[in-house]
Amino acid sequence: KNQVEQSPQSLIILEGKNCTLQCNYTVSPFSNLRWYKQDTGRGPVSLTIMTFSENTKSNGRYTATLDADTKQSSLHITASQLSDSASYICVVTSSYNTDKLIFGTGTRLQVFP
Amino acid sequence: SQTIHQWPATLVQPVGSPLSLECTVEGTSNPNLYWYRQAAGRGLQLLFYSIGIDQISSEVPQNLSASRPQDRQFILSSKKLLLSDSGFYLCAWSDVGIPEKLFFGSGTQLSVL
């Protein structure tokens, strides 16, 4: 069964600190993996996308990594800001059906001053 | 540029009442359209997706239905709401060429009482 699991479920950090969110998936065959940021009460917004051949992708203070062998991805946030408080969702697409995305349940990040 | 509009933002409805949520996309043609539901503390669940007018696939059997009367209009409906229909509903679109990159609307928070 194609699944996407994220950890931790929630995370609290102080402003200025770094953090890393994890995503493990069992989706096969793999097409791509996206990280989305979802502010409370809003729709998710895409942060990064990685295909099988990509190991690292950055978007400002966000850096995503992908290990296609172990089927793991991480999202690293550097020098966190209060505005980083949101849910971060890992989404994987299977090349069998690129119209159907497989969503993780997300990591709820809270950044405190 | 492309934009997606979803309304209403919040809705409180009694059990057994009908439902109609609307979503329109501007700035693109023949988009893939999606309805997702996000229950509290859970991941996004795909409800319906459409690759064209009157071409709608249902992912989860339930008392909800979707219609696409125009190319860029997607409507989520119910004849009689259940308590379990409460949740955060998100409309999304993607380009036919890049189906895995979703652009989400701002969401509708539905409370069925």
Side-chain angles (χ1 to χ4, degrees):
Chain A
K1 181 179 180 181
N2 289 329
Q3 287 185 316
V4 177
E5 296 183 352
Q6 292 186 243
S7 63
Q9 187 174 16
S10 61
L11 182 62
I12 297 174
I13 61 174
L14 294 177
E15 186 179 14
K17 299 296 185 182
N18 304 335
C19 68
T20 300
L21 314 180
Q22 300 291 341
C23 174
N24 297 338
Y25 62 92
T26 60
V27 178
S28 182
F30 173 84
S31 177
N32 60 70
L33 183 149
R34 281 185 184 269
W35 283 92
Y36 282 84
K37 177 186 179 186
Q38 183 179 19
D39 293 315
T40 302
R42 307 290 294 178
V45 175
S46 178
L47 292 175
T48 65
I49 179 173
M50 287 183 292
T51 59
F52 183 87
S53 59
E54 297 175 296
N55 299 119
T56 302
K57 182 88 52 97
S58 292
N59 178 359
R61 294 180 296 102
Y62 300 102
T63 299
T65 65
L66 173 66
D67 187 334
D69 291 331
T70 61
K71 296 187 178 181
Q72 295 179 327
S73 175
S74 64
L75 181 68
H76 186 75
I77 303 175
T78 304
S80 61
Q81 300 177 358
L82 298 179
S83 59
D84 292 331
S85 295
S87 289
Y88 292 84
I89 304 171
C90 176
V91 184
V92 181
T93 303
S94 169
S95 52
Y96 271 156
N97 189 339
T98 55
D99 287 330
K100 296 185 182 181
L101 310 183
I102 303 160
F103 287 79
T105 55
T107 292
R108 175 65 183 164
L109 174 65
Q110 293 178 276
V111 181
F112 286 162
Chain B
S1 62
Q2 302 90 353
T3 57
I4 179 169
H5 302 281
Q6 183 181 343
W7 68 95
T10 59
L11 191 60
V12 180
Q13 293 283 95
V15 171
S17 64
L19 172 73
S20 180
L21 303 181
E22 294 198 34
C23 173
T24 58
V25 181
E26 297 177 356
T28 187
S29 59
N30 195 31
N32 291 342
L33 295 173
Y34 309 81
W35 278 111
Y36 285 88
R37 177 170 58 201
Q38 187 175 36
R42 301 183 65 180
L44 276 75
Q45 178 187 39
L46 179 62
L47 301 176
F48 301 94
Y49 75 96
S50 170
I51 60 173
I53 293 177
D54 295 328
Q55 298 181 66
I56 299 171
S57 297
S58 173
E59 292 298 302
V60 181
Q62 56 205 318
N63 69 320
L64 299 173
S65 62
S67 61
R68 184 170 178 174
Q70 301 180 42
D71 179 47
R72 291 169 291 175
Q73 183 183 25
F74 208 22
I75 299 173
L76 183 68
S77 305
S78 174
K79 293 182 179 179
K80 290 185 178 181
L81 284 168
L82 307 173
L83 288 175
S84 57
D85 290 326
S86 293
F88 191 56
Y89 288 83
L90 287 159
C91 178
W93 75 272
S94 67
D95 194 291
V96 172
I98 314 175
E100 72 280 3
K101 184 173 183 178
L102 291 176
F103 297 89
F104 287 89
S106 53
T108 296
Q109 183 63 53
L110 173 65
S111 299
V112 182
L113 306 177

